[in-house]
Amino acid sequence: GSSWRPKIKNWFVMQIDMEDRISWRYPKAKDPTFAPGKLYDRWDATLVDSAYQAQFKIQNDYKLEPYWTEATAIAGSAHTDPQDLTVALCITTKNRLWQLRRALPLNLMHNWRHQKWCKVYLVDFGSTDGTFSWVMSNCRSAIDAGFLKFYYTESLPDWHASIGKNTAHRLAKEDILVNVDGDNLVGPDYALHVRRQFQDNPQLECFQYEVKDGTCGRIAIRRELFHELNGYDEDAGPMGGQDVDLVWRVQKYKGAQSWSNINKKDPKRIHHGQAIVNSIEAKVEHCKRPVDGAKLDWHKMDKANKTQFKKRLARGECRRNTGQSMIGVGVKQILCGKHNKIITCKEV
């Protein structure tokens, strides 16, 4: 009786068990990789329901394309096999549930079949807007499958973009690390598109998906290089310039040919370059307020940070945060037991 079920392609057979899980089966296999009737995936019905509801908000309120038809097709297809490169999608959030609840379910469904070699890392920095309970209630199947790695910390009371991003990137063990802001919609088979860029160009070290406002920070970088550079620069203002600075350092350290942005003629450019619009005020809402009580100004922070970053780059300082024992902050990984009951934490 759920509203999304009539929208699923008719080659799915859905069976709901007592834990509100969905089993995807193929009754008639035209593709030889599928065995008729074999169980391929199990979901919490709430994940698909959340994605289904999100696609209406995405389309009607934000005038973006949710690619819902592609999401249902991808989520029900056979998992793709690992090759030479693995990919991590690194997401951070702090009191941005209004965006996360629209983007995350669709992002998970759009990349579900690549979970053998792609993982999603989500770090919640002490949100007080219900983020933790929402993730546990709506994205539990992705955690159970090992596709979504969920972490929580209260060690960053005031938002700092570089520290937040460094935390998520430090946790990931995959070959390619991709920063995905919580308001970004990555689109169908995004992980596959990322992997192909680096497979097709062995010289490529960093690939950027800057298409529209809100996607400047969508940067894919080889993990080894990210740690050679020691991540985003934490010795700066809490917002502004940290993404551009990382790209500048990659180019200086590895040469201009080591970086590229998604081509304007790439047919997947719009698929992978969407973001829910933020106001300037929202961008700095959870940053530390000045001692004198002055209003936070993102443009001033961005300008000041870039000035500082350029000076460091001119001195040849490609590696940053050198006086720290680690980048980012400590977190706890949320581990789930059986029957939706047991939840434990592991320090990371």
Side-chain angles (χ1 to χ4, degrees), residues 38 175 178 201 211 218:
K38 182 180 177 182
D175 301 314
V178 189
N201 184 2
V211 178
R218 183 91 67 77

Side-chain angles (χ1 to χ4, degrees), residues 131-140 143 150 334 336 343:
T131 293
F132 184 92
S133 59
W134 179 86
V135 172
M136 296 307 299
S137 298
N138 293 272
C139 303
R140 176 64 184 271
I143 298 174
F150 185 35
I334 309 305
C336 303
I343 300 176

Side-chain angles (χ1 to χ4, degrees), residues 281-297:
E281 292 76 18
K283 289 182 178 182
V284 299
E285 182 180 4
H286 300 290
C287 298
K288 187 176 182 178
R289 298 284 170 179
V291 177
D292 60 5
K295 184 179 178 180
L296 290 171
D297 188 318

Side-chain angles (χ1 to χ4, degrees), residues 21 70 72 118 123 162 169 185 189 251 265 271 281 283-284 320 333:
R21 298 290 177 96
E70 291 85 347
T72 59
C118 173
V123 184
S162 291
H169 284 58
L185 301 170
D189 289 323
Q251 293 173 321
K265 296 181 180 179
H271 288 64
E281 292 76 18
K283 289 182 178 182
V284 299
R320 305 287 170 79
Q333 183 176 6

